[in-house]
Amino acid sequence: NAGVTQTPKFQVLKTGQSMTLQCAQDMNHEYMSWYRQDPGMGLRLIHYSVGAGITDQGEVPNGYNVSRSTTEDFPLRLLSAAPSQTSVYFCASSRQGAKEKLFFGSGTQLSVL
Amino acid sequence: GQQVMQIPQYQHVQEGEDFTTYCNSSTTLSNIQWYKQRPGGHPVFLIQLVKSGEVKKQKRLTFQFGEAKKNSSLHITATQTTDVGTYFCAGPYMNNQGGKLIFGQGTELSVKP
């Protein structure tokens, strides 16, 4: 049981490049979410999903897209990377929703130059 | 919008001293969750409080949920170097899309041996 798996662990992009951060969970969790962590800002919610085919915006959704075609996967897409998107990104899942405890992946450190 | 405020942002203590972090929500919560993130790691769930005025203990950690279900605290008695990390509170804000878990800014605890 791997839990929540994020890839890659580290990534460096140039401004304007696009990329996808991958997130997969093997716990059959319905709820998945993406957070970014910046010094002094805590964990800010980017997008979340309550099940396959359903996504919604969080606190800081601009510049990011998500989709949820399967229960297991919840990729995060950066369409045109900006230096302001330099951050640590965490994917997290829970069994059924925001009221239940989250299991976090190990994170992706992203630098945009 | 929904806000979760957490203070202090940093706390430096001598080993053996006590530590407390406080969490306040802009609205009433159905529950409050607490997470710990070790340096370089990912957030890990500690506990969830559901009832008004609830108090729960985990060894040297005491968690409280306010009577109005809008505030919470985490108190650590006689800190140890293993307590080092950032402590986050989080509250679920429910909507038609299943809700979102909003985190406070976190309190970073350092312990001097």
Side-chain angles (χ1 to χ4, degrees):
Chain A
N1 212 350
V4 180
T5 303
Q6 287 185 241
T7 56
K9 291 192 184 303
F10 302 95
Q11 183 71 50
V12 179
L13 293 177
K14 293 182 179 178
T15 297
Q17 286 185 317
S18 63
M19 80 158 296
T20 300
L21 307 185
Q22 302 291 346
C23 176
Q25 52 88 13
D26 61 0
M27 298 176 282
N28 202 31
H29 283 176
E30 291 294 326
Y31 185 88
M32 296 186 75
S33 52
W34 278 100
Y35 292 86
R36 60 176 289 174
Q37 184 172 28
D38 304 291
M41 304 290 289
L43 294 156
R44 291 183 292 169
L45 181 64
I46 304 172
H47 286 284
Y48 65 101
S49 168
V50 297
I54 306 169
T55 64
D56 198 9
Q57 296 181 347
E59 301 169 278
V60 288
N62 292 342
Y64 307 95
N65 275 2
V66 292
S67 59
R68 184 97 180 271
S69 54
T70 67
T71 299
E72 294 77 20
D73 300 298
F74 191 44
L76 179 71
R77 296 183 189 85
L78 283 70
L79 304 176
S80 178
S84 60
Q85 294 179 304
T86 293
S87 187
V88 179
Y89 291 85
F90 287 102
C91 178
S93 71
S94 75
R95 192 170 59 93
Q96 273 200 321
K99 288 185 178 181
E100 301 198 11
K101 66 180 180 182
L102 289 181
F103 294 82
F104 280 82
S106 56
T108 296
Q109 174 96 52
L110 176 68
S111 294
V112 183
L113 306 177
Chain B
Q2 304 92 355
Q3 274 193 313
V4 179
M5 306 300 293
Q6 196 174 347
I7 57 169
Q9 188 172 355
Y10 303 98
Q11 187 77 57
H12 308 285
V13 300
Q14 194 79 30
E15 190 172 20
E17 290 181 338
D18 291 357
F19 158 78
T20 304
T21 174
Y22 300 91
C23 183
N24 281 287
S25 167
S26 56
T27 59
T28 302
L29 299 169
S30 59
N31 70 56
I32 191 113
Q33 301 174 28
W34 285 91
Y35 293 77
K36 177 183 179 180
Q37 183 179 26
R38 295 184 188 276
H42 59 274
V44 174
F45 175 82
L46 291 176
I47 206 161
Q48 181 183 88
L49 305 171
V50 179
K51 299 177 184 176
S52 169
E54 188 171 14
V55 177
K56 285 189 176 180
K57 292 191 175 185
Q58 289 180 348
K59 298 183 181 177
R60 293 176 295 102
L61 277 62
T62 301
F63 303 85
Q64 289 188 305
F65 200 11
E67 294 290 340
K69 301 183 76 173
K70 293 180 72 174
N71 58 70
S72 182
S73 65
L74 158 59
H75 179 81
I76 302 179
T77 304
T79 55
Q80 300 175 359
T81 54
T82 54
D83 296 324
V84 164
T86 301
Y87 293 85
F88 292 98
C89 62
Y93 293 88
M94 307 311 292
N95 55 28
N96 292 335
Q97 292 297 325
K100 38 190 164 183
L101 192 64
I102 303 298
F103 281 77
Q105 297 93 327
T107 296
E108 184 178 339
L109 172 65
S110 65
V111 180
K112 188 175 182 181

